[in-house]
Amino acid sequence: MSVTGAERGVGLPPARDTAQRKADVLQRLAADRHTWLATSGPSGAHLIPLACVWDGTRLVMATHGGNKTVRNLRADGRARAALGSPVDVVLVDGPVTIVPHDKLPADAPAVLAELPVNPSRVPGCVYLFLAPRTVLAWRHRGEIPGRTVMDHGHWLA
């Protein structure tokens, strides 16, 4: 079996530095409106697509309060969100806070209204606020070594 140039990293664009990756991640978070959210529970991993918005510090989603994702988060409040594509990956890990609409603070960001499944309009739904603790970003194998752009809740650039 022969190894191609791309598999060796030959012919790939130069790896972005951490500052550029952070800027690209923030742009993706502000623009993307869908994510894959992974949680874990007694029956194993659970992965679902959800609409999302970035409120400037957290990734916010909404879903029905009785579903498996929310049950998993009540038991283990951590999740991973995946944005992008296999050639422009952003993974966001962190704790998730579950907030019913009637407990939403009065100063909640207006961007929450952009969620299509909105707890203010859909009875039984709750907000999920994912606070990033670790963020990974890469576009090709040459960027894997420097993929961590946030660690312990602090941007590395």
Side-chain angles (χ1 to χ4, degrees):
M1 177 177 193
S2 66
V3 177
T4 67
E7 289 169 330
R8 290 190 314 266
V10 176
L12 297 174
R16 297 169 292 165
D17 65 17
T18 305
Q20 184 60 54
R21 288 185 208 212
K22 174 188 173 186
D24 292 345
V25 166
L26 289 171
Q27 182 179 24
R28 177 165 298 286
L29 287 167
D32 280 16
R33 290 296 177 254
H34 294 93
T35 187
W36 286 95
L37 188 70
T39 60
S40 182
S43 63
H46 181 65
L47 180 68
I48 61 164
L50 288 174
C52 64
V53 293
W54 177 248
D55 75 358
T57 59
R58 299 164 300 181
L59 192 61
V60 186
M61 298 144 287
T63 190
H64 193 275
N67 72 20
K68 187 173 187 173
T69 297
V70 175
R71 289 192 309 272
N72 286 350
L73 289 168
R74 290 191 194 286
D76 176 355
R78 299 170 299 160
R80 168 173 273 182
L83 298 105
S85 71
V87 294
D88 192 2
V89 177
V90 175
L91 300 178
V92 180
D93 296 331
V96 177
T97 304
I98 302 165
V99 180
H101 176 68
D102 62 349
K103 302 289 186 200
L104 195 63
D107 64 348
V111 71
L112 299 186
E114 295 178 25
L115 289 168
V117 175
N118 191 304
S120 68
R121 298 185 303 268
V122 182
C125 286
V126 295
Y127 294 101
L128 306 176
F129 288 86
L130 171 57
R133 298 293 296 154
T134 304
V135 177
L136 308 174
W138 69 91
R139 289 190 175 152
H140 54 73
R141 70 181 300 156
E143 289 195 347
I144 297 274
R147 66 185 169 254
T148 303
V149 294
M150 177 186 277
D151 191 30
H152 293 91
H154 299 286
W155 292 104
L156 302 181

